[in-house]
Amino acid sequence: GRAAGPLLDWLATARVDGPAGAITYTQMLSPRGTLEADLTVTKLPPRPGAYGGGGGDGEGFLVVATDTAHRHVETLLRRGIEDHAAARGVAPAATVSDVTGGLAQINLQGPRSRELLAALTSADVSDAAFPFRAARRVDIGCALVLATRITYVGELGYELFVPAESAAHVYEAIVAAGEPLGLVHAGLKALGSLRLEKGYRDYGHDLDNLDTLHEAG
């Protein structure tokens, strides 16, 4: 909706209503200044009808939170819509849609991840065309995928948000293209070890709603 950008700027500690295709790492705070959520906000690249991105009444954003904070963040957003509108004496002009069930997330991480992604898509994924903390819509096989260049492991990497009905197809394409590049499967425990090595915090383990931004570092 047309108020989505101003609303998210109002709720988040960072300015998130930047150019389309930009990813912002940010937090939401309680009235006491303690952490309520730790998340990324992507201003979606234009595409009419794609989860609010570029179509309909205003701009779309993808807010990504951990599984443990999923419903809490959704509630903060829904309450924020009402509070933001009331503070300005206007009718609400933003909506929240939970797209969790409609998307699969597949991560490509590691020093050869760009080489692998380039083998999968006709899109330009060079560093100049697809910089860090950017989002692009790319083709992989028969699917249109939202690719975000973001990492939780301290390496070059991408998070792919794939329509659920295309998840198996995209996964199989990745495995086939990755075989000559030495692709291996890794799970959440490996990711957790790597993010600790990099010094990335995890809300719910290293941080919680008793910590302030200053205390979080």
Side-chain angles (χ1 to χ4, degrees):
R2 64 182 181 273
L7 165 69
L8 288 166
D9 276 349
W10 188 66
L11 288 172
T13 58
R15 182 174 181 269
V16 302
D17 191 12
I23 303 169
T24 305
Y25 171 57
T26 188
Q27 291 75 36
M28 293 181 183
L29 304 182
S30 72
R32 306 183 307 277
T34 55
L35 293 166
E36 286 285 338
D38 187 61
L39 37 81
T40 61
V41 179
T42 301
K43 189 168 185 178
L44 292 171
R47 178 190 154 202
Y51 303 110
D57 185 20
E59 297 164 326
F61 295 79
L62 179 67
V63 178
V64 178
T66 64
D67 56 338
T68 55
H70 169 202
R71 293 300 180 194
H72 181 57
V73 170
E74 184 181 355
T75 299
L76 290 174
L77 293 171
R78 294 189 185 282
R79 289 176 179 169
I81 290 172
E82 300 297 329
D83 293 345
H84 183 252
R88 283 151 182 76
V90 298
T95 60
V96 176
S97 299
D98 180 6
V99 298
T100 305
L103 295 173
Q105 189 195 82
I106 303 174
N107 287 355
L108 303 180
Q109 304 286 339
R112 303 191 75 179
S113 55
R114 181 187 290 118
E115 188 178 352
L116 174 53
L117 185 58
L120 290 163
T121 181
S122 63
D124 185 355
V125 297
S126 65
D127 188 56
F130 196 168
F132 183 55
R133 289 190 182 172
R136 301 287 186 265
R137 297 195 189 277
V138 305
D139 58 288
I140 297 180
C142 299
L144 184 63
V145 173
L146 177 67
T148 59
R149 186 175 160 190
I150 197 78
T151 176
Y152 198 41
V153 303
E155 281 275 10
L156 174 68
Y158 306 86
E159 295 180 355
L160 308 179
F161 294 88
V162 185
E165 65 272 16
S166 300
H169 166 66
V170 170
Y171 167 75
E172 289 165 359
I174 291 170
V175 171
E179 185 176 358
L181 298 177
L183 175 70
V184 296
H185 291 74
L188 284 174
K189 295 300 183 183
L191 184 147
S193 176
L194 290 167
R195 69 97 186 160
L196 279 170
E197 185 179 88
K198 181 65 176 178
Y200 287 149
R201 276 70 164 173
D202 182 18
Y203 188 81
H205 291 91
D206 309 310
L207 309 169
D208 60 24
N209 59 4
L210 298 178
D211 295 307
T212 65
L213 277 181
H214 179 72
E215 291 166 340

